Amino acid sequence: MAKNTPINPPAVTGAGRRELPAYVSNGLIGLRVRDVPLTTGMTLLSGYSGEHYERQIEAAAVAPYPIAGDIALDGAWLSDKSHQISDLQQAYDFSAGELTSRFTFQAEGVSAQVEVLTFCSRVDPTLVCQEVSITVDKGCSLGLRAIVDASGADGRALRHSRVTPGEPEPSTDGALLWESAGGLSTCGVAFVSQVLGVGDQQPTRPPLRDQRLVTEYGFRARAGRKVRLRQIASLIPSALHTLPDQQAARLAAKAANDGFDKIRQQNRAAWDELWKGRIRLEGAEDRWQSLADAAFFYLNSSVHASSPASTSIFGLATWHDYHYYFGHVMWDIEAFAVPALCMLQPEAARALLDYRSSRLDAARQNARLMGRRGIQFPWESAPTSGQEAAPLPGTAAWHEDHVSLDVARAFSLYADATGDREFLRTRAWPVLAGVSEWITTRVSKTGRGYAINESMGIAERENPVDNAAFTNMGAVVVLRDAVRVAADLNLSADPEWTRIADGMALPMRGKAVISHEAYRVDEEKGATPDPLMGLFPFGYRLDPAEEKATLEFYLGMAQDYIGSPMLSALYGAWAARLNDRRLALKLLDEGYGQFCTGRFLQTLEYRADRFPEQPQAGPFFANIGGFLTALLFGFTGLRAGPDAPDAWVERECVLPEGWTSIEVDRLWICGQAMRLVARQGETARLIPL
């Protein structure tokens, strides 16, 4: 195996039962592909939202499924005879983002071997491609259908077309304009199809019926001769075009002209480029390398430079039994996903931040609604408007102040990691200045210094607390970033920013930072290690004795928290800060490794053995991003900053027990390709290429 070829997850056989279906995405489009891939799955489209059927809030909306299909053997359709499907197999090729499904369909005395290839193009991000190959064991009448299925999407069809206006022949199989529930947005889908292996075939294309556009082929098939049905669909949200069905028709027609093979080849080349950033764990068991490859794949496949609405905590994945984050954009993306993406796929990291930049007015209005100045980012940001969209009554949104700090910190981190001076001036500075102004209206002056009262930390408790440690630590980091950037750009910084940063009170118990004032170990969610998140990856600096005491205090309670979402993945890196390699490996397994289960190593939100009552929901990007951030920054001792990359080394590498090095052949740092070599006990090296 080439060193930058990922380890693919094990192929699976049979129906998925309670396991999540395969997730196929390119960051603009996300599909749940069932074990029988011709059956309609679920689609999410970045920037496409509607009114939630129960909560009546803006939420990511299920879009029409673009690549459904059907097969008939002597008139017996697979969709009517699903009990006659056998030998189900699926395999995922992470190196190319391709899912291959195989099954046998038997009807009317004929047996058909079926293979289905599915992928979303990274080069042409509006395109979903599927090839269905069928081989029958005896001659028969073979029917094939390519289907765009909107029957599972809330909303309504505004129009559809099966012709190309003004042209004698249609350039696509058809186009559909679909409006979401509540009329909050629209999306367009257009598709083309082609049958190979039986000569020229003219399909039938009836009008929209039962919320489905169907192209149907029928012909005689010969025994042993492979027939292929290819379909390519373009999906576009109104966030990217005001007439998305027409633009989808243009791009679907272009795809037909380019051809399936060219699109596939270009997609594979794009993944080859991404995999140059593969994080190799030398000396680690193969299991750890496979988990790192899966994390890399799912994170990178769920973001794209073309995305108009960031991504959600599950990327563009959804399923029937988990919807409770509603596709909203939340702090987890900036806190956990952006750090790794800054070096792995900076164009996509920029798109995530552009979503926040383009909705600053909504954040300013949100601050005003709370009686404050500056910028206060919403707790659950609506994909289209960027406004607060938390389910009513919105209790978390009342006190979850740290979201603004997470977003601001991501902007300064991106500017440091990329060295993009224009971004620093035009994007990062407005956010840092606006959030810093908000901090001045959020703090209170006390005898101990500055305090943030009635706030909520990472643990979403029933009642707010005073001086939530992570919030206060985050405020200090952001204020100091803002002062530094102002000096760098020769701009004016409010002197109050420095006074607050220097005078911010932290709740302490001895030398250890504790979660908040009046903290008790036995309180609700008392083991939540939010002060450790303030240390890493947020970057608050404590003196060595205080850092050691804080780490020991919370690592001592790890078993009371680990298995919960978000922070569990960071325990291994925190143990490494105490130079305990054995504990680092143990906690990395308990805090991340045991979250990865089921078909194709999708990382779940909750560890199933510790929270069996929770739905299996994944891929969960706080856990994935935390793991990758630990690999790139936590164990390696790197801390991105405004200085040259050789100044990023903060301490020697401390790797989990048995690991000898973490190596990456290409990271993007300050606009330059660099190689990372981080060997146990040595200082990491960033080597320009």
Side-chain angles (χ1 to χ4, degrees):
M1 178 183 294
K3 63 181 179 179
N4 286 328
T5 300
I7 299 174
N8 288 322
V12 296
T13 59
R17 301 181 182 89
R18 290 190 65 234
E19 294 179 311
L20 290 168
Y23 167 56
V24 179
S25 179
N26 61 11
L28 182 64
I29 304 164
L31 305 177
R32 281 292 189 191
V33 182
R34 295 178 185 267
D35 42 26
V36 179
L38 303 184
T39 305
T40 299
M42 297 184 77
T43 309
L44 290 185
L45 184 60
S46 179
Y48 176 66
S49 63
E51 184 180 277
H52 189 265
Y53 70 95
E54 177 185 18
R55 292 291 197 157
Q56 297 179 8
I57 57 175
E58 183 184 333
V62 174
Y65 192 73
I67 51 166
D70 211 349
I71 300 170
L73 303 177
D74 281 337
W77 288 96
L78 178 149
S79 56
D80 295 326
K81 307 281 186 180
S82 59
H83 60 285
Q84 292 173 211
I85 296 171
S86 61
D87 303 326
L88 288 168
Q89 297 179 347
Q90 276 188 323
Y92 218 144
D93 183 358
F94 280 175
S95 71
E98 295 181 351
L99 179 73
T100 300
S101 310
R102 299 178 178 89
F103 60 89
T104 300
F105 173 46
Q106 294 176 310
E108 305 301 312
V110 181
S111 180
Q113 301 299 316
V114 184
E115 180 176 294
V116 184
L117 170 73
T118 307
F119 67 92
C120 295
S121 171
R122 291 202 63 81
V123 176
D124 295 294
T126 76
L127 300 184
V128 179
C129 302
Q130 184 163 277
E131 180 181 77
V132 184
S133 301
I134 308 103
T135 306
V136 295
D137 66 347
K138 61 179 66 174
C140 68
S141 173
L142 182 62
L144 298 175
R145 289 173 179 164
I147 303 170
V148 171
D149 190 354
S151 61
D154 289 337
R156 61 181 181 140
L158 295 182
R159 63 171 175 256
H160 78 280
S161 176
R162 312 242 40 181
V163 299
T164 301
E167 295 292 325
E169 296 294 332
S171 59
T172 70
D173 285 34
L176 172 67
L177 179 63
W178 190 263
E179 182 183 63
S180 66
L184 298 187
S185 62
T186 62
C187 68
V189 55
F191 72 117
V192 293
S193 66
Q194 179 187 26
V195 170
L196 304 175
V198 289
D200 187 35
Q201 294 292 321
Q202 294 302 313
T204 60
R205 301 188 180 103
L208 182 72
R209 181 180 176 185
D210 298 328
Q211 310 291 29
R212 302 194 311 164
L213 285 179
V214 179
T215 295
E216 183 172 328
Y217 297 86
F219 47 86
R220 292 293 300 178
R222 292 166 51 186
R225 183 170 182 177
K226 181 180 292 186
V227 176
R228 290 177 290 169
L229 168 65
R230 288 176 166 178
Q231 58 193 106
I232 306 172
S234 173
L235 281 81
I236 296 177
S238 53
L240 289 176
H241 200 284
T242 56
L243 297 173
D245 56 328
Q246 293 184 9
Q247 184 64 8
R250 295 182 185 101
L251 295 184
K254 177 182 182 297
N257 183 72
D258 291 343
F260 189 97
D261 292 329
K262 178 180 178 180
I263 295 168
R264 184 184 184 191
Q265 181 183 26
Q266 290 178 336
N267 180 66
R268 295 179 73 90
W271 271 109
D272 285 345
E273 280 296 307
L274 278 175
W275 280 112
K276 291 178 181 178
R278 185 187 187 214
I279 304 169
R280 299 197 307 278
L281 311 179
E282 304 296 338
E285 296 178 356
D286 286 348
R287 169 177 174 260
W288 282 112
Q289 186 62 64
S290 68
L291 293 181
D293 290 345
F296 180 102
F297 173 77
Y298 283 119
L299 180 61
N300 281 282
S301 65
S302 295
V303 294
H304 198 282
S306 296
S307 168
S310 187
T311 195
S312 84
I313 197 61
F314 295 115
L316 293 170
T318 188
W319 199 234
H320 300 288
D321 61 350
Y322 67 93
H323 60 267
Y324 41 85
Y325 297 120
F326 307 99
H328 294 157
V329 182
M330 300 180 70
W331 72 282
D332 316 61
I333 297 303
E334 284 83 15
F336 297 98
V338 166
L341 287 170
C342 283
M343 299 197 299
L344 295 173
Q345 198 184 157
E347 298 88 353
R350 171 66 184 265
L352 301 180
L353 299 177
D354 282 347
Y355 164 81
R356 297 289 193 177
S357 289
S358 66
R359 291 156 177 83
L360 286 187
D361 284 344
R364 289 191 184 93
Q365 300 289 26
N366 192 48
R368 288 171 179 161
L369 290 169
M370 302 296 287
R372 297 163 188 151
R373 298 191 309 274
I375 292 171
Q376 181 175 351
F377 289 99
W379 178 239
E380 297 192 34
S381 184
T384 300
S385 67
Q387 297 175 343
E388 182 62 67
L392 299 173
T395 51
W398 301 347
H399 302 292
E400 285 287 9
D401 298 303
H402 69 81
V403 57
S404 297
L405 311 172
D406 298 301
V407 174
R409 177 59 181 151
F411 273 79
S412 61
L413 176 66
Y414 178 88
D416 289 342
T418 63
D420 188 335
R421 299 284 297 175
E422 182 66 12
F423 177 89
L424 182 69
R425 183 180 64 84
T426 62
R427 296 289 187 268
W429 169 249
V431 171
L432 288 166
V435 172
S436 295
E437 182 185 8
W438 169 80
I439 292 171
T440 67
T441 67
R442 182 65 181 88
V443 299
S444 302
K445 186 74 179 293
T446 72
R448 290 181 52 207
Y450 291 91
I452 298 178
N453 295 324
E454 293 191 7
S455 186
M456 195 79 74
I458 294 171
E460 297 177 27
R461 300 181 173 92
E462 185 175 346
N463 297 305
V465 298
D466 292 340
N467 284 331
F470 177 66
T471 302
N472 288 23
M473 297 163 89
V476 171
V477 172
V478 169
L479 289 167
R480 289 180 175 155
D481 280 350
V483 171
R484 165 177 63 85
V485 170
D488 188 17
L489 297 175
N490 197 27
L491 299 170
S492 296
D494 185 345
E496 188 74 359
W497 299 351
T498 299
R499 286 194 289 269
I500 295 172
D502 291 344
M504 183 70 75
L506 283 187
M508 305 287 292
R509 185 158 299 165
K511 288 187 177 296
V513 179
I514 54 176
S515 184
H516 57 83
E517 302 289 358
Y519 165 78
R520 302 189 325 275
V521 172
D522 62 350
E523 71 184 19
E524 178 194 10
K525 301 184 180 180
T528 304
D530 35 355
L532 301 190
M533 177 77 180
L535 288 173
F536 174 80
F538 213 88
Y540 185 91
R541 296 184 185 274
L542 289 171
D543 72 44
E546 291 174 339
E547 176 173 331
K548 182 174 184 290
T550 305
L551 286 164
E552 289 176 342
F553 183 80
Y554 280 98
L555 291 182
M557 294 187 289
Q559 294 307 315
D560 295 326
Y561 178 88
I562 213 160
S564 299
M566 295 184 295
L567 303 188
S568 289
L570 296 169
Y571 271 100
W574 292 331
R577 294 178 81 94
L578 290 176
N579 294 307
D580 192 332
R581 299 184 65 196
R582 178 173 295 181
L583 184 62
L585 182 63
K586 177 178 182 292
L587 294 182
L588 189 64
D589 177 56
E590 295 179 355
Y592 185 77
Q594 294 182 40
F595 283 77
C596 306
T597 185
R599 300 168 81 90
F600 309 125
L601 292 178
Q602 296 186 54
T603 304
L604 301 183
E605 179 182 12
Y606 288 87
R607 222 176 81 184
D609 61 330
R610 306 243 2 214
F611 296 93
E613 74 282 3
Q614 294 290 340
Q616 291 199 3
F620 189 68
F621 286 106
N623 297 343
I624 289 173
F627 176 54
L628 295 176
T629 297
L631 295 181
L632 291 173
F633 293 99
F635 296 122
T636 63
L638 296 178
R639 174 191 170 101
D643 299 320
D646 57 8
W648 287 16
V649 178
E650 197 171 43
R651 57 181 175 79
E652 291 182 347
C653 303
V654 180
L655 308 183
E657 186 176 49
W659 297 17
T660 56
S661 68
I662 295 175
E663 301 185 18
V664 183
D665 283 347
R666 190 190 66 192
L667 295 172
W668 295 106
I669 298 175
C670 296
Q672 184 175 4
M674 292 193 174
R675 181 170 180 243
L676 168 66
V677 179
R679 295 193 175 98
Q680 164 61 29
E682 301 178 8
T683 57
R685 291 182 295 144
L686 292 169
I687 305 163
L689 298 179

